[in-house]
Amino acid sequence: TKGQKNCYGYFQPDAYTKDGKTVHQVTMCAETFQYGTDQIVSTLIHEIVHATNHLAGVNDCNNNRHNGNFKALAELFGLEVAKGTASQGWAITTMSPELKKWIDERIKPNADAFTLLANVKAPKEKKPSKMVKWECDCTIVRCATALNATCEECGQPFVQA
């Protein structure tokens, strides 16, 4: 989603205007729903942390890299925070055991509620190439049609490999 691998959701400030008011948006990526309620809840809270920081005027990302401001508030919300790749910063979040217990006991997320949303399209199968490999004594070429030619370098005819 959004051209990003492993993107479960995102917060978009000032996403649109409605009735003259600026509206922010939290989006859950469809792929997230296949990972179960723990991932869904963790992602939603992760994005709410971004929204809360934004509303408070706190910068929690630099070029999509989650910084210490994000980490501090995420931990206050009950998330466990770990570093991702160098470009992600403190982006890896999961529910702490205490938060998970609270969510399970009070919110009681129903996994069945997300099954209709979990129908993520399977990646398209890659079609076999129509290109055929041909070679002579000195090189290899590929073409989509039969090749009836002689190599100008070595003088040998191209044969299908």
Side-chain angles (χ1 to χ4, degrees), residues 93-153:
T93 54
T94 55
M95 288 188 287
S96 66
E98 299 81 14
L99 176 59
K100 179 171 173 26
K101 182 178 183 219
W102 188 89
I103 294 287
D104 288 345
E105 290 175 357
R106 302 242 170 96
I107 307 288
K108 300 175 184 168
N110 180 352
D112 293 337
F114 298 103
T115 56
L116 292 175
L117 301 171
N119 294 328
V120 178
K121 290 182 181 177
K124 291 182 180 178
E125 282 190 37
K126 188 176 179 183
K127 293 180 181 177
S129 174
K130 294 179 182 178
M131 301 300 278
V132 177
K133 183 176 174 181
W134 298 83
E135 58 188 16
C136 64
D137 287 344
C138 70
T139 193
I140 295 172
V141 296
R142 296 179 194 279
C143 65
T145 61
L147 182 64
N148 184 11
T150 302
C151 176
E152 290 183 358
E153 292 291 319

Side-chain angles (χ1 to χ4, degrees), residues 53 59-60 62 65-75 90:
N53 273 329
N59 178 18
D60 67 3
N62 302 326
R65 186 177 188 279
H66 296 66
N67 62 30
N69 294 331
F70 172 82
K71 180 180 185 290
L73 188 60
E75 289 173 340
W90 296 102

